[in-house]
Amino acid sequence: MKCYLFSLFLVVTLMSCSKKTPVAADLDPGTDPPPNGTSTYAGIIQPIFNSRCVSCHSASNPQSGVNVSSYSATMASRGTQYNALIVNPGNANGSPLHNKLQSNPQFGSQMPQGAPLTTQQITAIRDWINAGALNE
């Protein structure tokens, strides 16, 4: 019985160690963010924007009216192609930002130009928008 309890304790302990919660210091803007609703703006979303979007969509270069260089700039951006704010909190499917990341957006071509974001990166952005697009 003692051996069984020890084995059970060991398995539970090892399983709990494998599910590390990501923090901003763990994230590299060139890597995929963690999946399943763990998106935070500063820790996951902004690093994606910084590495893949800001070169064309910043305060000094707001192509198509879009500036994703900060949370406030992202939330205030009004895309000229859609004539709407790019983020509709709580509704990724109704957000031009999410639409432009798809392979066949409503207007223009898929962003970012060159190579699309990974499925995990798009999912992180979608989850962040659906969760209310909070600055957390």
Side-chain angles (χ1 to χ4, degrees):
M1 182 68 169
K2 287 182 185 179
C3 185
Y4 173 75
L5 290 175
F6 177 75
S7 296
L8 182 62
F9 172 76
L10 183 62
V11 168
V12 169
T13 302
L14 290 174
M15 288 178 64
S16 67
C17 291
S18 69
K19 296 203 177 211
K20 181 183 171 204
T21 302
V23 294
D26 295 334
L27 299 172
D28 174 3
T31 62
D32 290 334
N36 301 330
T38 58
S39 294
T40 63
Y41 186 81
I44 297 171
I45 305 305
Q46 189 62 55
I48 294 169
F49 291 164
N50 289 346
S51 68
R52 299 296 310 279
C53 310
V54 168
S55 63
C56 295
H57 298 287
S58 66
S60 63
N61 188 22
Q63 291 186 17
S64 298
V66 176
N67 175 0
V68 293
S69 62
S70 69
Y71 177 79
S72 58
T74 300
M75 299 307 289
S77 284
R78 187 178 236 2
T80 57
Q81 292 179 329
Y82 294 79
N83 193 30
L85 292 173
I86 65 168
V87 176
N88 184 356
N91 183 4
N93 289 334
S95 295
L97 171 63
H98 184 258
N99 183 257
K100 287 297 281 186
L101 300 176
Q102 305 307 306
S103 60
N104 189 20
Q106 183 180 1
F107 298 105
S109 57
Q110 181 181 22
M111 293 289 124
Q113 292 181 347
L117 297 180
T118 66
T119 301
Q120 283 187 312
Q121 290 170 323
I122 294 169
T123 298
I125 292 168
R126 182 199 67 213
D127 291 349
W128 168 71
I129 293 170
N130 281 337
L134 303 174
N135 188 13
E136 299 180 337

